[in-house]
Amino acid sequence: MPSYAAHHKTAVPAHVAIIMDGNGRWAKQRGLPRIEGHRRGVETVRTTTFAARDLGVKMLTLYAFSVENWKRPQDEVGALMGLLEYYLKKELETFIRDRVQLRTIGRTDELPAGVQKLLRTTMEETRHFTDYTLVLALNYGSRTEIADAARAYAAAVVAGREQLTDGSWDRFSRYLYTAGMPDPDLIIRTSGESRISNFLLMQGAYAEFVFTPLLWPDFTKADLAAAIAEFAKRERRYGLTSEQVKPAPGATQ
Ligand code: IPE
Ligand code: IPE
Ligand code: MG
C-alpha cells in the first residue's frame, strides 16, 4: 500500500516506526539490572507517543517485543510481560482522554492471557479514534508474518475467496498483520545498531531509515524532531529519476 506521504507530499512522515533498542545497555552503563532499562524505556514510550502526535505524525509503530526475544533469560521475558501489562493498565485512560487508537501487529495470541485481555479491551475502547494510531509490535517478526500471511492466503485460495491468477502484492498484503495500515515512511532505530532485526521487512520497502546512537531511554522529543527533519531532506524516488519526482521549477505537469 502506498504511504500517505507519497500522496500528500508532506515533510512530516505520516507513519513513523521505531525499533526501540538499547534498554539493556542503558541499565548496564549505570550498574543497574536490565529490567530497570526496560522500565525507563516504558517512560520513553509514553513521551514518544505524544511527541509524535505533536509533531504531526498520524501513526506510530513501536517494536516492543520480537518473536526472537522469547529466547532471552526467562526472568527478563517475565519482567517484560509484567511491564507490558502494567503499561496497558495505566495507559487506557490516557488513550481515551487523548483520543489515541491502539492496534497491534504480531502473534498476539501467544502472549500471556492477561496481556491479551488488556489488549482486547484497549483496542475495543479506542477503535473509533481515527486521528492518531499507536501500533504496538508484540511477538512480531517479519518472517513469521509472511509465513502466517502465506498460510491464510493459501486457505483463501482453497476456499475460493482468492484466485491464483490474481497474485498481486495489493491482494496478498491484505493477509499481513498490517492489513489496512499505510507503509512506514520513516523507520528509526536507536542504540547505534544498523540493522532491521526482522521488523517490517516488506512494509519498509521504500521507507527512509534514520539510525541514532542514542539508547532508547535517552530518546527525547527533540531527537524525534531531528529524525523527522532528516527525513524531510531526503528525496524519495520510488525507482523513478530525480527529475521525475521533482519537476523543474515552472514546469507544468
Ligand atoms: C530493547 O532493548 C528492548 C527489547 C528488545 C525488548 P534491549 O533489551 O534490546 O537493549 P540492549 O540491546 O540489550 O541494550
Ligand atoms: C529488536 O531489538 C527488537 C525490539 C526492539 C523489540 P533486539 O535487541 O532484539 O535486536 P538484535 O538482537 O540486536 O538484533
Ligand atoms: Mg537490543
Side-chain angles (χ1 to χ4, degrees), residues 197-211:
S197 301
N198 207 8
F199 185 54
L200 299 178
L201 291 181
M202 293 291 127
Q203 298 87 342
Y206 273 102
E208 296 296 327
F209 285 81
V210 169
F211 296 102

Side-chain angles (χ1 to χ4, degrees), residues 227-246:
I228 290 174
E230 168 65 32
F231 170 88
K233 285 193 258 166
R234 308 267 179 95
E235 182 182 67
R236 300 177 84 187
R237 289 194 284 276
Y238 301 97
L240 308 185
T241 67
S242 187
E243 290 69 25
Q244 283 175 298
V245 294
K246 191 165 52 186

Side-chain angles (χ1 to χ4, degrees), residues 1-4 7 169-170 173-174 178-184 203:
M1 196 167 289
S3 68
Y4 291 146
H7 289 302
W169 173 252
D170 211 35
S173 63
R174 296 177 200 188
T178 51
M181 279 170 54
D183 285 341
Q203 298 87 342

Side-chain angles (χ1 to χ4, degrees), residues 20-23 25 34 72 189 191:
M20 310 184 286
D21 198 14
N23 293 348
R25 277 162 283 175
R34 291 179 59 84
R72 291 190 177 195
R189 183 172 187 144
S191 91

